[in-house]
Amino acid sequence: MNTVLSVASEVAPLIKTGGLADVVGALPAAMKPEGWRLITLVPGYPQVMERLENPRRVRRERYCFGGPGNVLADEVAGLELLVLEAPHLYDRPGSIYLGADGLDWPDNPERFAALSWVAARLAANGIDGIDVDVLHAHDWQGALAPLYLQEMAADDAVGTLLTVHNIAFHGWAEPAKLRAMRLPRALYTHELLEYHGRVNALKAGLVTANRISTVSPTYARELLTPEYGMGLDGVIRTREADLTGILNGIDEVAWDPAKDPAITPYKSPRGKAKNKTALLKEFDLKPGKGPLCVVISRLTEQKGLDLLLQCLHVLAERDARLALLGTGEAWLEEAWRKAAAEVPGVAVKIGYDEALSHRMIAGADAILIPSRFEPCGLTQLYGLRYGTMPLVADTGGLSDTVIDANVAALSMGVATGIKFNPVAAPQLREALNRLCDIYDSDDGFVTMQKNGMAQPVGWAASAPRYAALYESLRCPD
Ligand code: ADP
């Protein structure tokens, strides 16, 4: 079987802060039927170490970026894992990226340089006698791996792929860290590592990986523009011929309304009623005439939830309800707490709660995703599968996965949700009013729920695309 070494800073169900973990965790099972074996390398955070059952050391790193390290192999939750055990880098409490002060860990450049360097080493030398065909790096935390591999490998037998899950995070480091990151000064050039006077790990990956992918076709096009490219659009334009957008799928076993152990299971929109009653109760909300909407999100600028704060009066006017679950930037957490205290029909839980997110998707009529940019987005896909109508900004993967309830789509009976554009408060208000109108129309709403539930949102379409991409990178036998 062909082998891919996948390297990432998160993998579900072991350690997750966002959609990256879901995708890295789902790809191995999705790719197996396509004839590709994926082995996933992740850092040995406490959350990962405590899940290991039968770890076997496959490599020793005597001096791993400031201390001793080991690469441990194990199978956890059906995943073939390699774990970089390096306590000086990863054994610390709290967030995997941020210290207690809310700022990046100061040694993040070394922490993820180490991960990428070890990935390159394993790709070059093989893993316990298994040759690696493709090195698949995810986001900036893995983005230096193709460059290290280029530096250490005598030939180019291993193809490299960089997947961009979010272009907003670049992996900055001061040039004084070059030596600690095992990056020769000669590589610190405008063509490669340097970006406005600092090291930019993502840029290095974008320049050196043989192929680049991102997580939806629309985001792939958006990345080429100054509006969405976050300063790297120029670099990406030079790689346009090597760039592909492949839509993420969801884990259809974990997210199956007919079998979900966290909810009262159902197979048709009507079956949602019990879950809705339970959800209203859980958030201490009274039933209203309008739809029960939910938000499940990181609370950051990206997600546009400050815009939603400006539109809450629409929901109040239409007697709709809103339950929000999220965690993130302090000012947004505070603003949402305040909204819950002041606006009737709005309830908020600040925190991260996987089981509650299932209950919310099952019980709600609609899920709101007003993102300013969204590489793919997973929660609209959960919404579709659970008959919970997505109301989304018309951007990135949200554009690719939701069919707007415009006149044409409604007349053909194919609509699955509501899209709005540009991403601004007046347009969001109008979209919320449209949602309430459709909800009032009852039959129209149920038709859209059924359309959503019938839409394929798994990996069936995307797995062959990744397989073709891997195949294009594999060295002929
Ligand atoms: P992003 O990766 O930008 O955060 P995605 O929509 O791609 O956005 O993925 C977010 C994932 O994280 C989804 O699986 C979503 O359900 C989950 N999630 C986000 N916030 C929370 C939360 N507070 N509690 C539980 N799950 C959450």
Side-chain angles (χ1 to χ4, degrees):
M1 207 182 230
N2 303 312
T3 302
V4 174
L5 175 63
S6 173
V7 53
S9 57
E10 303 182 19
V11 61
L14 280 79
I15 178 74
K16 164 171 165 179
T17 73
L20 166 68
D22 289 307
V23 176
V24 173
L27 265 181
M31 297 312 295
K32 207 170 185 179
E34 302 291 325
W36 286 88
R37 172 184 186 186
L38 265 71
I39 303 175
T40 310
L41 173 70
V42 291
Y45 313 116
Q47 299 93 324
V48 172
M49 297 304 295
E50 72 194 17
R51 295 287 294 274
L52 299 184
E53 287 158 17
N54 272 314
R56 189 168 52 81
R57 185 164 75 194
V58 294
R59 211 188 139 76
R60 171 184 284 191
E61 296 291 337
R62 274 180 205 288
Y63 188 75
C64 182
F65 293 69
N70 289 304
V71 178
L72 308 174
D74 202 354
E75 204 178 304
V76 183
L79 295 164
E80 273 194 87
L81 284 187
L82 292 173
V83 175
L84 177 54
E85 179 191 37
H88 60 291
L89 298 174
Y90 308 124
D91 184 12
R92 49 186 81 170
S95 153
I96 57 174
Y97 303 125
L98 311 174
D101 55 6
L103 301 174
D104 287 354
W105 293 110
D107 60 347
N108 273 354
E110 294 93 321
R111 294 173 78 219
F112 297 106
L115 182 74
S116 301
W117 191 90
V118 169
R121 190 59 124 188
L122 289 164
N125 295 355
I127 307 161
D128 244 6
I130 301 165
D131 285 339
V132 172
D133 296 292
V134 175
L135 173 59
H136 186 172
H138 300 269
D139 273 350
W140 75 265
Q141 296 92 342
L144 288 172
L147 176 59
Y148 288 129
L149 181 62
Q150 190 173 291
E151 291 298 297
M152 64 178 71
D155 55 28
D156 54 1
V158 180
T160 54
L161 167 66
L162 173 68
T163 297
V164 178
H165 296 260
N166 192 330
I167 197 79
F169 306 106
H170 290 188
W172 295 105
E174 294 307 320
K177 293 231 177 200
L178 281 168
R179 183 195 277 270
M181 294 168 74
R182 294 191 194 166
L183 292 165
R185 184 108 207 156
L187 301 180
Y188 186 61
T189 61
H190 180 63
E191 286 67 40
L192 203 51
L193 274 173
E194 190 265 345
Y195 185 88
H196 294 286
R198 285 197 286 169
V199 176
N200 184 318
L202 189 61
K203 177 181 170 186
L206 291 170
V207 174
T208 48
N210 298 129
R211 300 287 300 266
I212 302 165
S213 76
T214 188
V215 290
S216 69
T218 295
Y219 195 57
R221 285 193 298 276
E222 288 173 347
L223 284 179
L224 298 164
T225 68
E227 193 183 349
Y228 292 96
M230 305 266 176
L232 289 174
D233 46 291
V235 177
I236 298 174
R237 281 197 294 277
T238 67
R239 300 296 316 272
E240 187 172 353
D242 298 312
L243 172 68
T244 322
I246 304 177
L247 209 53
N248 287 336
I250 64 168
D251 180 337
E252 290 179 296
V253 177
W255 290 94
D256 179 355
K259 298 201 180 113
D260 191 333
I263 65 166
T264 304
Y266 60 91
K267 287 191 174 155
S268 75
R270 218 176 319 139
K272 289 171 70 71
K274 275 193 184 153
N275 292 295
K276 180 169 177 176
T277 307
L279 183 60
L280 286 165
K281 201 160 161 220
E282 188 162 6
F283 274 85
D284 206 11
L285 288 167
K286 291 198 181 66
K289 283 205 280 297
L292 169 57
C293 307
V294 290
V295 170
I296 300 158
S297 184
R298 291 186 292 117
L299 300 181
T300 65
E301 286 267 343
Q302 174 193 342
K303 301 294 181 176
L305 297 167
D306 50 316
L307 298 176
L308 186 56
L309 282 166
Q310 297 170 41
C311 304
L312 294 180
H313 61 278
V314 174
L315 295 175
E317 280 156 25
R318 304 294 299 252
D319 201 23
R321 302 288 178 262
L322 174 66
L324 175 141
L325 168 66
T327 173
E329 289 167 18
W331 69 279
L332 274 168
E333 291 186 354
E334 194 40 48
W336 275 99
R337 277 203 190 93
K338 191 158 169 273
E342 288 173 1
V343 186
V346 175
V348 167
K349 289 191 198 283
I350 300 297
Y352 189 96
D353 188 334
E354 193 81 30
L356 176 57
S357 74
H358 283 245
R359 296 197 292 277
M360 290 174 75
I361 299 267
D365 298 304
I367 180 160
L368 312 182
I369 314 171
S371 306
R372 291 191 166 88
F373 68 96
E374 194 59 76
C376 177
L378 293 174
T379 55
Q380 84 280 14
L381 302 178
Y382 304 152
L384 289 167
R385 188 132 209 252
Y386 279 63
T388 305
M389 189 193 289
L391 182 158
V392 304
D394 193 0
T395 184
L398 300 172
S399 296
D400 293 330
T401 53
V402 174
I403 302 174
D404 180 55
N406 57 32
V407 177
L410 282 174
S411 70
M412 296 301 290
V414 296
T416 59
I418 291 176
K419 289 184 191 173
F420 67 97
N421 184 21
V423 187
Q427 284 73 17
L428 176 53
R429 271 183 219 119
E430 195 258 342
L432 289 168
N433 270 314
R434 268 208 293 149
L435 167 67
C436 295
D437 291 344
I438 295 173
Y439 184 73
D440 284 346
S441 76
D442 209 33
D443 272 2
F445 190 76
V446 175
T447 303
M448 287 178 65
Q449 286 178 301
K450 286 185 179 157
N451 289 345
M453 291 179 84
Q455 182 173 322
V457 288
W459 285 94
S462 296
R465 296 201 176 112
Y466 270 109
L469 191 49
Y470 289 156
E471 190 58 39
S472 75
L473 289 164
R474 197 172 65 86
C475 213
D477 296 323

